[in-house]
Amino acid sequence: MIFIAVFRLPSKDARLKAFNTCTPHMCVFLSFYSIDIFSFLSHRYGEKIPPYVHIIFSDMYLLIPPMLNPIVYGIKTTLIREETWKILKNIKKCNEKRTCHKIV
């Protein structure tokens, strides 16, 4: 429904602005529902799955989406996004060299 509403907007700038606004919301919903689906399927069809796996899925369902909220919504802030990219680039360089001691 969101995509249909956005694609019906008349101008390209309006569509881009709407997608920039909706992207974090969709990321949070996708993280929430993907974990929810795995939890549901493991409880519904996983008779041979050990009980601790069910508990882990249930905990992930409750903990991961709220933990991702500040990250997903914070990435929209330019300063946070730039610093995150710097850290990720440093981690990539360290993995390539395998000699880094300090990431930041």
Side-chain angles (χ1 to χ4, degrees), residues 10-93:
S11 71
K12 184 178 179 179
D13 290 335
R15 286 191 295 269
L16 287 174
K17 187 173 181 178
F19 270 126
N20 280 340
T21 303
C22 294
T23 301
H25 302 298
M26 289 187 284
C27 289
V28 170
F29 283 125
L30 284 174
S31 69
F32 182 75
Y33 284 119
S34 63
I35 295 169
D36 183 34
I37 288 170
F38 286 118
S39 178
F40 169 76
L41 292 175
S42 71
H43 283 284
R44 180 79 173 158
Y45 301 109
E47 294 88 19
K48 296 180 182 177
I49 296 176
Y52 68 87
V53 174
H54 294 291
I55 293 169
I56 290 172
F57 275 130
S58 297
D59 289 344
M60 287 173 44
Y61 170 72
L62 293 173
L63 294 175
I64 290 181
M67 286 175 20
L68 288 177
N69 270 340
I71 296 168
V72 169
Y73 291 113
I75 292 297
K76 286 188 66 138
T77 306
T78 306
L79 182 61
I80 294 174
R81 184 174 50 241
E82 289 172 358
E83 291 298 321
T84 304
W85 284 120
K86 284 181 190 177
I87 290 171
L88 292 175
K89 286 178 184 178
N90 284 338
I91 290 172
K92 183 179 177 182
K93 287 178 186 176

